[in-house]
Amino acid sequence: EFPKNKAMKTQQPDTWKPRAWKDVRLYPGAINVLQELLLDKRRWGHVKIGLTSSTREEDWAWRLLDQFNVSTSEEHVSLRSMVGDLIQINDLLKEDQVSTLAQQAGVPLDRIVYFDDILEFETARPLAQMGVLVVQVPIPRGINRQMFLAAMKTYVQRKYAGLRAGAFLTKEGLLEYGSRPRGIVQPQSTAPNPKEQAYKQRYGWIRWKSIDRTE
């Protein structure tokens, strides 16, 4: 998702088109993550990057993908060329967009980590039930390297523990979805707060150290 500038189409003439870095900007942390994916081929060379957008202004979105660049000292590439064909810009549901990307990439859904500024748990549920690890990106701070690495660590831990990947990772912890919701997984060092207590009452708890014994 791109942070939206206050100058939107409804406030501009019909001929107005947004410009990258002036009217619409990428989250600064997103640029850092993309640059790392470009540079560290040994660590991330196997990772495929996909992009979804539910905007109704598809021409704007494609234009901006060409305008945004994630250049490094070694490479000069646009965001569109970096993503390649793994792009879904349409008014379909997120789960339909992600399913299509999975088919295009030739990977199962439980090998997808999906970052989005989803605020509602129920919005993330269909994706998580499909097996996707959904990561909540906070607004307006956006994604950063620490968040990206934490999500990758969570994915790997669950994979090697034999757990299904489908879950919703938020700053409060990990909300698991399935036929029998198993709860929030959080580091033991995290102090509880009222919101977490509400999750505990509704879903139950599983401590981080017990991640391999959730059934």
Side-chain angles (χ1 to χ4, degrees):
E1 297 289 336
F2 302 130
K4 310 299 190 298
N5 189 286
K6 291 183 178 179
M8 301 305 291
K9 184 179 181 181
T10 55
Q11 302 169 306
Q12 300 292 335
D14 291 339
T15 56
W16 180 80
K17 301 294 182 182
R19 291 165 292 179
W21 308 115
K22 181 176 178 63
D23 303 303
V24 183
R25 298 178 182 274
L26 292 176
Y27 290 122
I31 300 174
N32 295 334
V33 171
L34 291 170
Q35 289 177 336
E36 179 169 339
L37 291 172
L38 270 177
L39 290 173
D40 197 344
K41 302 293 187 183
R42 181 176 181 181
R43 186 176 188 183
W44 306 114
H46 64 289
V47 173
K48 297 180 179 181
I49 306 171
L51 182 149
T52 71
S53 175
S54 299
T55 180
R56 295 180 180 178
E57 301 292 347
E58 297 183 22
D59 58 329
W60 289 10
W62 287 106
R63 184 191 304 269
L64 290 168
L65 289 179
D66 286 325
Q67 293 177 357
F68 281 120
N69 69 75
V70 288
S71 300
T72 67
S73 58
E74 300 180 12
E75 294 187 67
H76 181 84
V77 297
S78 68
L79 183 55
R80 181 173 181 177
S81 64
M82 183 177 183
V83 176
D85 295 329
L86 300 180
I87 303 174
Q88 283 290 299
I89 301 176
N90 47 56
D91 58 358
L92 297 177
L93 297 174
K94 289 183 184 294
E95 52 265 37
D96 294 330
Q97 292 178 329
V98 174
S99 293
T100 300
L101 286 181
Q103 295 174 5
Q104 291 177 322
V107 299
L109 288 163
D110 62 3
R111 295 188 63 182
I112 292 179
V113 181
Y114 184 74
F115 296 84
D116 200 352
D117 52 5
I118 298 174
L119 299 179
E120 299 296 332
F121 292 154
E122 294 306 315
T123 306
R125 181 187 293 273
L127 287 170
Q129 288 180 326
M130 288 163 46
V132 177
L133 176 58
V134 185
V135 183
Q136 185 183 61
V137 176
I139 300 174
R141 181 166 58 91
I143 189 175
N144 56 36
R145 184 175 185 271
Q146 181 180 4
M147 182 190 306
F148 173 76
L149 294 178
M152 295 301 103
K153 181 179 179 179
T154 299
Y155 168 80
V156 171
Q157 285 180 323
R158 295 175 65 78
K159 177 180 178 182
Y160 284 99
L163 301 176
R164 65 189 301 274
F168 187 28
L169 182 61
T170 75
K171 64 180 181 180
E172 284 86 14
L174 188 67
L175 178 60
E176 297 187 344
Y177 287 121
S179 58
R180 182 167 61 88
R182 294 192 294 265
I184 293 286
V185 181
Q186 72 168 45
Q188 285 187 303
S189 59
T190 302
N193 60 42
K195 182 179 291 187
E196 292 172 359
Q197 293 296 327
Y199 294 153
K200 178 179 179 180
Q201 182 177 2
R202 181 174 180 182
Y203 297 106
W205 283 103
I206 302 169
R207 290 296 185 180
W208 187 265
K209 68 176 183 180
S210 301
I211 193 170
D212 58 341
R213 296 191 298 277
T214 57
E215 295 293 341

